[in-house]
Amino acid sequence: MRFNILEIVRQGLSGNSGWGPHWRSPDPKPEYDVVIVGGGGHGLATAFYLAKEHGITNVALLEKGYLGGGNVGRNTTIVRANYMLPGNSEFYSHSLKLWEGMEQELNYNAMMSQRGIYNLFHSDGQRDAYARRGNQMISQGDDAELLDRAAVRRRLPFLDHDNARFPVIGALYHGRGGTARHDAVAWGYARGADRRGVDLIQNCEVIGIDIEGGRVRGVQTTRGAIRAKKVALVTAGRSSQTAAMAGLRLPIESHVLQAFVSEGLKPLIDCVVTFGMGHFYISQSDKGGLVFGGDLDFYASYAARGNLPMAEHVMEAGMALMPMIGQARVLRSWGGIMDMTPDGSPIIDKTDIRGLYLDCGWCYGGFKAVPGSGFSLAHLVATDRHHAPAARFRLDRFARGAVIDEEATGSQHNLH
Amino acid sequence: MRLTCPLCGDRDRREFYYLGHETWLDRPAADAPPEAWDAYLHLRDNPCGPTRDLWQHEAGCGAWLVVSRDTATHEIASVELAR
């Protein structure tokens, strides 16, 4: 079924009884050309672009739980291309362009909203750093605008501009950045991949990877063995575990990142604001909830829940930035498991095992990368050549010293 | 989360700084091959379950500690002085 206004009217008049499932639930076949392990945003996008861009449709995507049940269904939904370093800059630029065409491409409403992102600064040094970043973004072909104190005061009147410690003296504005409906992105890619013939197989956990003579032969799953010519591991959050099944040890440590949502409020913030000095960022969902977060809890964890000190820190930063937030009540919070790499940048690469590909290490920036990651990994799997915008996301870059350390914080997994 | 420092006793998590897995204690020799340094600086087993990692009682006695704990449950099994 193609979604359009006539269909909505027709379904509305017939009691909305004609909407069917958005994708099939096939049983796994014994063999596929490509098996994608992991049914999150990146895996689903990979399946979609394999079919659409490369005509490879004899593909199974295996998900141990349900589609979109991991971090793509629990994040703060921000989309942006405001990176600076070669490697990141071209990749996120490409990804944002895919975001801009995604809804038409998928025939699916992902509620993509380019509402603009403000990165606040509070000192001359920070302004210089943001001016440089803005220039880098513009040379990449993206948009950036340096706003002075008066402009920020006019556009974001609800901030505490005269905070004694961190007075707001300006902001870097990225107008094409914004937010999207995270679940819909997963569902849209799932539907698009399914319609092109990809088998999306849920409740199917991979428990082994078959390797013979240095080449991948398939996977063992809780629903039996599946042979495959190529296998892509797209399991951020559990990357170390899936890679270990192939004997690989990754440059990844898993950390918990918390986020918070307030009760639904009337429209209040029509953009995204980041307060780097307070380690805080905030936007408002279309349902009205303020969506905000901060830093990692800083120690390795798979618990998918955080500790109170970081929750307290985030609330304090929110109060410092916009004191009226104290009037709102927190509705819920959660902790997601982040693949932290030693330079804060991801990995999309082949491995020493022929036919085995890795897509992991997204730290806490995976959501905005969903289309770009899927596009680039599909290119790599289909052609065995790196897609140019993702060509620097190599697994061996740490050993080579070719790190992409956007925050310049050094070789420690939790500092990015 | 609270940690029991062997020198100071039961303390709030905020007094402690986390460095990473106890791999950090096995610093390669200066003339070790690049692979050893790569493994030391970057590669991790990253277990989901029992692990041993390195913390410092930064806002207390300053001692470096090896903490045995569970990454899936946040349960602390033991806290020892690092050697």
Side-chain angles (χ1 to χ4, degrees):
Chain A
M1 178 188 293
R2 217 182 138 68
F3 296 137
N4 54 44
I5 187 120
L6 289 177
E7 193 60 37
I8 291 172
V9 171
R10 206 165 65 88
Q11 292 291 343
L13 293 174
S14 59
N16 281 309
S17 55
W19 302 112
H22 287 193
W23 52 81
R24 301 164 293 134
S25 289
D27 288 322
K29 291 189 284 189
E31 181 164 5
Y32 290 92
D33 290 338
V34 179
V35 161
I36 298 167
V37 182
H42 292 236
L44 291 164
T46 305
F48 174 77
Y49 288 117
L50 266 177
K52 176 166 183 283
E53 300 294 324
H54 306 281
I56 299 174
T57 55
N58 185 22
V59 176
L61 179 144
L62 311 180
E63 165 56 44
K64 74 173 176 180
Y66 61 93
L67 296 180
N71 287 341
V72 75
R74 283 189 296 276
N75 58 73
T76 49
T77 77
I78 294 167
V79 172
R80 59 187 166 91
N82 57 355
Y83 283 74
M84 187 170 74
L85 293 184
N88 283 336
S89 183
E90 62 267 36
F91 175 80
Y92 290 103
S93 180
H94 177 245
S95 194
L96 182 57
K97 291 184 187 99
L98 292 174
W99 275 107
E100 289 174 327
M102 174 195 291
E103 290 169 315
Q104 288 70 33
E105 192 172 28
L106 296 176
N107 176 230
Y108 208 89
N109 180 10
M111 295 166 72
M112 174 65 176
S113 165
Q114 294 180 287
R115 54 185 67 186
I117 297 179
Y118 295 84
N119 300 128
L120 303 177
F121 52 79
H122 317 273
S123 67
D124 291 344
Q126 246 195 321
R127 177 173 49 210
D128 291 350
Y130 272 127
R132 179 183 174 213
R133 177 175 294 268
N135 285 333
Q136 298 280 85
M137 290 159 65
I138 290 166
S139 11
Q140 181 61 47
D142 294 314
D143 68 290
E145 190 184 344
L146 202 66
L147 301 179
D148 64 12
R149 188 192 300 252
V152 179
R153 201 177 274 267
R154 198 168 54 246
R155 294 203 205 175
L156 307 174
F158 50 86
L159 301 183
D160 180 10
H161 293 267
D162 303 314
N163 183 295
R165 189 170 175 202
F166 296 120
V168 177
I169 67 167
L172 183 66
Y173 179 65
H174 175 42
R176 284 166 63 233
T179 61
R181 172 86 170 96
H182 50 353
D183 293 314
V185 174
W187 300 333
Y189 276 120
R191 174 169 166 271
D194 178 81
R195 282 156 63 99
R196 284 168 176 79
V198 174
D199 283 355
L200 306 175
I201 300 161
Q202 306 183 66
N203 298 309
C204 180
E205 182 174 0
V206 171
I207 50 177
I209 298 173
D210 297 330
I211 297 161
E212 285 170 31
R215 175 169 252 303
V216 73
R217 298 290 179 193
V219 293
Q220 300 290 326
T221 79
T222 48
R223 294 179 68 176
I226 300 174
R227 291 193 301 280
K229 297 184 181 72
K230 295 180 174 181
V231 174
L233 303 179
V234 195
T235 55
R238 292 281 166 168
S239 302
S240 297
Q241 281 71 36
T242 50
M245 289 191 276
L248 299 171
R249 195 160 173 252
L250 298 182
I252 286 175
E253 192 172 87
S254 298
H255 284 262
V256 60
L257 178 72
Q258 300 192 66
F260 307 85
V261 179
S262 80
E263 60 190 329
L265 301 169
K266 289 191 174 180
L268 174 67
I269 303 177
D270 61 355
C271 57
V272 180
V273 182
T274 79
F275 173 35
M277 294 310 290
H279 306 277
F280 179 84
Y281 63 98
I282 188 164
S283 64
Q284 186 169 20
S285 80
D286 291 342
K287 274 197 298 190
L290 300 177
V291 182
F292 54 100
D295 263 332
L296 296 175
D297 273 26
F298 289 118
Y299 55 91
S301 170
Y302 285 88
R305 60 184 161 78
N307 257 297
L308 288 173
M310 187 50 73
E312 185 179 37
H313 177 85
V314 168
M315 303 302 158
E316 285 171 354
M319 287 295 289
L321 178 69
M322 40 185 294
M324 68 174 173
I325 201 176
Q327 302 284 321
R329 282 167 293 193
V330 172
L331 188 64
R332 59 198 162 90
S333 71
W334 71 96
I337 306 168
M338 310 290 128
D339 272 17
M340 299 305 297
T341 59
D343 64 356
S345 296
I347 294 159
I348 302 177
D349 205 354
K350 308 178 212 183
T351 65
D352 291 338
I353 299 156
R354 271 181 298 154
L356 184 68
Y357 304 85
L358 281 179
D359 181 302
C360 59
W362 290 96
C363 300
Y364 36 78
F367 181 68
K368 64 184 159 300
V370 161
S373 167
F375 197 99
S376 293
L377 178 61
H379 181 98
L380 180 65
V381 170
T383 66
D384 261 325
R385 290 196 309 273
H386 290 89
H387 184 228
R392 294 182 196 239
F393 293 157
R394 301 296 179 88
L395 182 57
D396 68 352
R397 69 173 182 271
F398 306 99
R400 288 186 290 114
V403 294
I404 310 169
D405 188 349
E406 188 83 23
E407 296 185 6
T409 43
S411 169
Q412 198 177 316
H413 300 75
N414 59 340
L415 292 187
H416 295 280
Chain B
M1 188 162 81
R2 296 176 73 82
L3 295 174
T4 304
C5 172
L7 302 178
C8 310
D10 184 40
R11 295 297 178 93
D12 187 284
R13 176 261 177 276
R14 278 170 285 198
E15 293 188 11
F16 298 87
Y17 169 77
Y18 170 89
L19 181 65
H21 190 257
E22 67 168 345
T23 305
W24 285 118
L25 288 171
D26 299 324
R27 189 179 173 87
D31 57 352
E35 294 75 22
W37 281 99
D38 180 36
Y40 170 73
L41 289 168
H42 308 126
L43 304 183
R44 295 293 179 265
D45 290 339
N46 193 23
C48 177
T51 192
R52 283 166 62 83
D53 40 31
L54 199 57
W55 299 65
Q56 188 189 19
H57 195 183
E58 190 184 33
C61 60
W64 282 96
L65 308 168
V66 176
V67 178
S68 297
R69 63 185 185 94
D70 193 309
T71 58
T73 63
H74 291 171
E75 190 181 358
I76 312 286
S78 72
V79 182
E80 305 151 25
L81 291 175
R83 296 182 193 285

